[in-house]
Amino acid sequence: MTRWLRAPFLTCLVFAGVAGLNLLGVMEVSAQDAAEVAEEAAVEEAAAEEADLGVGYALDNLTLFLCAVLVLFMQAGFAMVESGLNSAKNTVNILAKNLMDLSVGALLFYFIGFGLMYPSSYGGEDLNPYFAFGGSGIYESAPDRTFSPQVDWFFQAVFAATAATIVSGAVAGRMKFNAYLVYSAVLTGLIYPVSGYWKWGGGWLTQFAGDMAFQDFAGSAVVHAVGGFAGLAGAIMLGPRLGRFTSDGQSVPLPGHNITFAALGVFILWVGWYGFNPGSQLAFQSTGDIDATVLIAVNTTLAAAAGVVAATVIAWALFGKPDLTMGLNGALGGLVGITACCDAFTNGWAIVVGAIAGALVVAGVILLDKLKIDDPVGAWPVHGLCGIWGCMALGILPNSHLESGATNLMIQAIGTASICGWAFVTMLTLFAVLKAVGMLRVDPEDEQAGLDISEHGMHAYPSDAVAGGAIA
């Protein structure tokens, strides 16, 4: 009896031991699983924290995006100014050129230009200070980035399109459309990015002795003078429009067909410049950043206003009437002039910079007339001459860069001359080649008929298609 009872008891003990061991194993496995889950959650949380760069990152990128949109909107301003200051029979041609500047420019800047202008963004090291290529497309995002590569490209691409479209007005009324497309592609894909790299991409203009560098904050030379001197090269190679000068060399004004468009365009450009100049601050988080941004905006406003007044007063004194077109170009001249130095001058000196720029616009228009160079919209006086002035002002007038020893007059002269010379010589060569192969200028008959109908087969205004109803 005792033996019979002892056997089940031992059996129960064995089963209980086995069950206990199994329970301990399950508990151990569950603990391991819980530890792994916790570890995975911690890794995911850390990755999420790394991916989220915070409100400051969002603010910088959103602000830069909005500034880029304002610069993009400047294309509408250029289109209005250029079409308004030219004959109605060339309106479609001018609008088409502006559209293609932006479209061709954006694509070429994506595939080639961005990599030429900012090769270090693609990871390159020990780059040649004169020419380098980082890669095609947009560079990869880094964990410690300041900007999204996408918004970085967008902001720089609309600057490239601005440089290209400046030329449209200088060559208006007589250049073949296919030749213009060749020019636009070469400028945005090669010429502008190379000289842009010299300054903004860390090239040789930033590598002077003593940590000094050529200063051009938002592009008086890098953007505007490049476009202005490219336009001058085109105007020289094309020659003047039919009837612009008499056989004995007398200037014959060919007024634009719609001053309202021109004025609207200038106001659009003025507004767009608040993306151009304040946006170039590139940082908007701290008190110091915001103080700098609004200083830039106020200096931009004051310089433009001073340019208007100076150009109007001087033209009034010279020609006996207040010329609205001179005042409009005076505004643009003031804006171009302050672009290089809007971060470095006090408000008072910004007014001086703008006033001198306005005077240079009038002087530049008169000079081109004397030289019998036909620039229908004043692209070179506004963007070329005032672009030079904006950079040289940093070496002449009192400003923070001079005070800190960041630059001097010689460095500013070297940088300005290099960028302007690069654009002028390369574009003069290109236009000369196009002229040599018979591709540059339209026939006199086509020019007389207007490029709208001869190059595009359409009219900007319905009345143009009606006999006797054309707008002059």
Side-chain angles (χ1 to χ4, degrees):
M1 183 70 179
T2 304
R3 186 182 300 174
W4 179 81
L5 291 171
R6 189 182 303 157
F9 177 72
L10 291 173
T11 301
C12 289
L13 286 176
V14 170
F15 277 121
V18 171
L21 290 174
N22 285 337
L23 180 60
L24 289 173
V26 170
M27 291 176 64
E28 183 177 353
V29 170
S30 299
Q32 290 176 351
D33 290 343
E36 290 175 0
V37 170
E39 183 178 352
E40 290 176 0
V43 170
E44 291 176 359
E45 183 178 354
E49 289 178 357
E50 182 178 351
D52 185 2
L53 298 177
V55 175
Y57 175 84
L59 177 62
D60 279 347
N61 281 265
L62 177 60
T63 304
L64 194 64
F65 167 72
L66 295 175
C67 288
V69 171
L70 282 174
V71 177
L72 176 61
F73 189 51
M74 291 172 71
Q75 293 291 325
F78 280 115
M80 292 295 97
V81 169
E82 293 166 8
S83 60
L85 293 179
N86 278 278
S87 172
K89 63 186 179 182
N90 297 315
T91 301
V92 170
N93 179 254
I94 289 170
L95 298 178
K97 288 188 296 185
N98 279 269
L99 177 64
M100 295 306 291
D101 278 331
L102 176 59
S103 304
V104 172
L107 292 173
L108 283 175
F109 199 72
Y110 174 82
F111 287 111
I112 303 172
F114 197 45
L116 286 171
M117 194 163 175
Y118 297 99
S120 61
S121 296
Y122 296 78
E125 297 179 359
D126 298 323
L127 300 170
N128 184 294
Y130 300 97
F131 183 88
F133 183 64
S136 184
I138 299 175
Y139 60 89
E140 293 294 326
S141 178
D144 59 346
R145 62 193 180 274
T146 302
F147 291 110
S148 161
Q150 303 293 321
V151 78
D152 188 14
W153 175 87
F154 182 36
F155 188 69
Q156 298 300 333
V158 292
F159 271 57
T162 298
T165 203
I166 289 167
V167 178
S168 173
V171 300
R174 71 261 202 219
M175 186 174 184
K176 289 183 177 179
F177 188 63
N178 55 359
Y180 186 84
L181 294 180
V182 172
Y183 141 77
S184 184
V186 172
L187 186 85
T188 53
L190 179 64
I191 305 306
Y192 169 77
V194 168
S195 55
Y197 165 60
W198 295 347
K199 165 55 186 166
W200 290 343
W204 69 278
L205 290 180
T206 66
Q207 300 175 13
F208 289 94
D211 292 328
M212 291 197 292
F214 170 66
Q215 301 297 325
D216 185 0
F217 181 73
S220 285
V222 173
V223 179
H224 294 280
V226 165
F229 276 87
L232 178 64
I236 290 172
M237 293 308 302
L238 279 164
R241 291 165 292 172
L242 296 177
R244 180 64 179 83
F245 297 97
T246 64
S247 57
D248 60 355
Q250 294 297 312
S251 175
V252 178
L254 300 177
H257 83 283
N258 197 320
I259 300 301
T260 303
F261 280 1
L264 175 62
V266 168
F267 284 121
I268 291 173
L269 287 169
W270 193 330
V271 171
W273 234 282
Y274 295 111
F276 211 97
N277 286 0
S280 294
Q281 175 66 17
L282 300 179
F284 313 98
Q285 299 181 32
S286 70
T287 301
D289 292 332
I290 293 302
D291 285 346
T293 301
V294 293
L295 170 68
I296 291 165
V298 171
N299 281 349
T300 299
T301 306
L302 293 173
V308 172
V309 173
T312 301
V313 169
I314 294 171
W316 199 343
L318 291 174
F319 311 128
K321 296 287 185 181
D323 187 331
L324 175 61
T325 60
M326 285 294 188
L328 294 172
N329 271 339
L332 299 180
L335 290 164
V336 171
I338 201 63
T339 293
C341 48
C342 49
D343 65 321
F345 282 115
T346 63
N347 296 150
W349 283 114
I351 293 173
V352 174
V353 170
I356 294 175
L360 287 172
V361 167
V362 179
V365 169
I366 295 172
L367 176 62
L368 291 183
D369 255 13
K370 297 294 184 183
L371 297 174
K372 300 179 181 61
I373 298 174
D374 184 16
D375 181 350
V377 302
W380 181 76
V382 168
H383 300 277
L385 200 53
C386 293
I388 291 175
W389 162 240
C391 292
M392 294 307 299
L394 284 166
I396 299 171
L397 304 177
N399 64 84
S400 60
H401 292 314
L402 276 184
E403 292 171 4
S404 66
T407 190
N408 58 39
L409 180 60
M410 181 59 68
I411 290 175
Q412 290 304 112
I414 291 171
T416 304
S418 299
I419 292 173
C420 295
W422 164 254
F424 182 74
V425 171
T426 53
M427 288 294 98
L428 192 70
T429 303
L430 175 64
F431 288 130
V433 170
L434 293 173
K435 185 175 182 178
V437 299
M439 189 178 169
L440 186 63
R441 182 162 181 159
V442 299
D443 296 331
E445 297 79 13
D446 291 337
E447 183 177 344
Q448 193 67 44
L451 302 191
D452 288 3
I453 192 66
S454 63
E455 290 283 290
H456 303 276
M458 59 178 60
H459 296 285
Y461 305 99
S463 60
D464 284 1
V466 180
I471 302 173

